[in-house]
Structures are given as structure tokens and as C-alpha cells.
Amino acid sequence: MPDLPSPQDATEAALFTECWDAALSYADLCTAGSAAAAELAREAFEQGIRELRAAESATVRGHGRRSARLPRIPLLLTAVRSTAAAWEEAGKGHKLDPDLRLWLHSDQAARYTGPPLERPVALRGLRDLQHADAELLWLAEAEALPLPLVARRLGLDPATAADELAQVGRMFRDRCHRNHLDSPLDAECRSYARLLDAVTRSPAADTPDDLSRHLATCHPCAEAAACLRLHGGGLPGALAGGVIGWGGLAYLERRRRAAEVRLGAGRPDRADPDTGDPAHPAGRTRIARHGPLVAAVLVSLLALAVSLMPFGGDTADDGAGRADADRQPVADPGPSLPAAPTAGPSDTPSPEPSRTPTPDSPADRQIPDPEPQGTSSATPAPETTGRGAPAACRVDYALVNQWPDGFQAAVTVTTRDPLASWRVGFTFPDGQRVTQTWDGSAHQDGAAVTVTAADYNKSVAAGGKLAFGFLASWSGANRPPSGFTLNGRTCAAV
């Protein structure tokens, strides 16, 4: 770690390393480079530790159960966000991720520092818990740490930790429901509050169509629904989104992967780490770790053999294209590489290069860290339309995260011409439904979706980029959308 505040005692020293890792992980999402990430994390860590020590040394007044502060890690993550906002105001915004800068100037960012009753219900609900309960909920749900490890860290009985976590989850839900009712709701939102509470209590309850339509257009109610629905695996996302805000889901994915690396895929208490028995947990972990590498080598050898076989025409290329179109991205895929030109009749085909994994090849990596939301990589030369003319725009669609009944995606469009305003259209192939958007307003008619610019990001310079993100539901299949257009003009896919 860099030069950070000195721990005051052994307990604080034990927490510093984990807290620093969390702050640095989020700071890396918020910045445009590793040096800026370390600088942002260091400033935020110093600020957060000062707040933490002040809160712990302050005299607790009254006899209520309300916590004086957030748990340690969420407190430091909010310090990273507030430090990034201070950078933007001080003219250091060039060090931050461009999409974070847009978010910092949006109404969504203002909610986190605005009137208390207008702040996200997850943030208010976590503060309302006792400190030990809030720590348990965050470490188990957001940091993805195994429950026995969390129990030992907090001095709980591992045998009863699961029951205690379930009880804390119910208390969190009750406080979020109360905070939602205390929010300044309009008449329509208040009329749905009781129905929303009833529907989210049971995993078997169906959401009525009118409530579903309301949740698709009302951000505060959709936010409350995510906190009230404890089943379905959405609680970590509700916590991260309500406490952190921008980049919350990407942070969750990073922490989950970090926990798997540190703890051996989440099994720190396996009895015999040397066993190779596939039936044993450790054996399964070893197979799970090395299986993708072995599979990649076999697939590479098969691909090399196929490329050297005397197939004619474009049959092989067409088959590969269809396979790529049907494959689902795993986490936060980067843009696909452009297809190689097909050899003409007079061209001499060159043998395909070996696909044996190298230390920098995708086959040797587990899964890349998710990029910041809405961020896209550099792209090659401009694509062309079907008629051979340069495309007016290029689009990069990224699946940021996916869970059993929903997903998060980011869309980045590069425009050839300057824009005074923009409208992006696309079509879903599998009945997906958009439930929430940011950096734009969405309208869906059947499979067709149209996203229009927000007030603060309408203008785009020639060669510039516009970006927005959304949450959506899916069932059965979740293929990426197609038919992207910008102001009615067809875009080329990256």
C-alpha cells in the first residue's frame, strides 16, 4: 500500500488492507489510468479514515438503534465518490472516467448529497441498521465473502450466522419499506406502495401489469422494489447501487472475482486441499480453474486443423459467424474484432496463426475486470454500410452484468457528424424489456427500443461518443440487440 494513515491499534491495522483494496478497486473504475486511481484512492482513504475515527470517538446520544455511520467499506467507497466530485469541481476532471463525469453532473448524482428523504432508500436503510448488522449485510452480500469467514471476522457463531443474516435482511427490508413511504412520493407512487410491498414479499407472486409498467418508468419505486425483493439474488445490486451509485454493479463483479482469487473460488474451509478427487470440493475447484485453459488448448488445436483442411468457398467463415452471433457474453465483453477479409479466387490463402494461449492471450486469463459502465475501447478504422459508404456511426454494445431474470448493459455510439441532439434505436431479439435507463430516456414498443438524450448530454462533437446504460429483464435467451440507428441512420456494429 502507499503511504496511508497509520493504524491506531491492531484491530484497525487488520482492517486497513481489505479496506484499501476495496477503495482502490472502486477508484480504478472511476479514473482513466492506474496512477490516477492510486491518487484518488489515497485521498479518499485519508478522508474516510478521518470520518471513521471521528464517528467512532464521538459520544453516542440517545438510546435509539440508528447507526451513526455507514459500515467501514461503504463509508470509504462514498469517500471515493465524493473525492471524485471534488476533483471535477477543482478542474481535475480529466483524470476521471468520462461517463462518471457525466453522471456527476446529473440529477442521479445530486440525490446522494441532497435532502435526506430524497436519497436512495438502500443508503438510508443501511444507515438505520445497527453497526454490526450493517457490517454483516455488506460483507456477506456486497463483498461476496463466505459466511463462515464473515462470522469469524465479526465474532459471530458460524453455526447461527445464516439465520442471523436472514434476520438482518428482513430488518433491512422493513427499514427500506418505511423509508420509501417517508419519501416525497406523488399520488401514483403512494397508491402502489402497499401493492409493491405485498408483491415483493413472496418469490411466487406475479407482478401485476399496471405495477410492472409503473416500475418501468418510476426510478424511485423501481429502486425500492430492488431493496424489498430479498429473493432472486438482486440484494447485492440494490445495496451497491443505493450506496455507491455510479459503477456499483461493476464494483460488485470485481469484488466477487477478488474473493474467488483470494479464497479459492469461495471455499476457504475445505478439508483436504491436496486431493485431486473431482467429488471433493478442492478437486472441483482445481478442475474449474484449469478446465478453461485445457479446453482452450483443445479448441485451438481443432481450429488449426480445420483451417488447414481443404474446405472451399466461405462455408467455414459463415459457420464461425453464426456461432459468434449465438454466443452470449459472460461479463463485460470488449468490442469484437472486425472480421478478416475473405480471400478472393486469385489470392493465396495464408495459414491461420497458432491460437496456443500466451500469457497475454484471452485463453490464459480467467475473466477480464469489467470496464467502467458505458466505457468503450478504441476502435479500428470506420466501418462501412452495405453499399460501401462510410457508416455515419459505430455502436458498441456491452453486457456489463447478468443474473437469472435481468441484466445490465451499456451502449456507446461514436458519431461521424456533430449532433445537437440524439436518438438511438435498436431491436431486441428475445423479448427483453427495459426497466431502467440512465444518461437517456427509453421508450419501448414491442421489441423496438428508442433512447433519447438527456438534457446534459445532447450535444456531441464530430467524431465524439455518446453513451447510456440500462437495466432490462430477460427469459429463456438474452442475445444482444441489433439494428442500431442514430437519428434514423443505420450504425455499424463494432
Side-chain angles (χ1 to χ4, degrees), residues 104-120:
L104 288 173
H105 293 280
S106 69
D107 293 339
Q108 285 296 317
R111 296 180 61 217
Y112 290 82
T113 56
L117 290 181
E118 295 181 5
R119 294 177 186 177

Side-chain angles (χ1 to χ4, degrees), residues 119 159 240 274 296 343 377 405 419 456 480:
R119 294 177 186 177
D274 297 326
S377 303
D405 57 355
L419 304 174
Y456 57 86

Side-chain angles (χ1 to χ4, degrees), residues 206-219:
D206 294 329
T207 304
D209 291 342
D210 58 337
L211 176 58
S212 180
R213 286 192 295 269
H214 177 72
L215 294 178
T217 58
C218 179
H219 181 73

Side-chain angles (χ1 to χ4, degrees), residues 331-363:
D332 186 12
S336 303
L337 294 175
T342 304
S346 60
D347 296 333
T348 301
S350 58
E352 183 178 350
S354 173
R355 297 178 183 265
T356 303
T358 64
D360 294 327
S361 68

Side-chain angles (χ1 to χ4, degrees), residues 253-326:
E253 185 67 12
R254 285 194 170 195
R255 299 305 288 165
R256 181 186 66 80
R257 293 172 182 170
E260 289 178 352
V261 171
R262 293 196 309 267
L263 303 172
R267 294 182 177 272
D269 51 353
R270 52 189 178 271
D272 185 8
D274 297 326
T275 180
D277 184 4
H280 191 274
R284 287 196 298 269
T285 300
R286 183 177 293 108
I287 291 175
R289 183 183 299 115
H290 296 293
L293 179 60
V294 175
V297 174
L298 294 176
V299 171
S300 300
L301 293 175
L302 180 59
L304 180 60
V306 170
S307 67
L308 297 177
M309 293 179 66
F311 291 131
D314 298 332
T315 305
D317 291 327
D318 292 343
R322 287 191 297 270
D324 288 342
D326 293 336

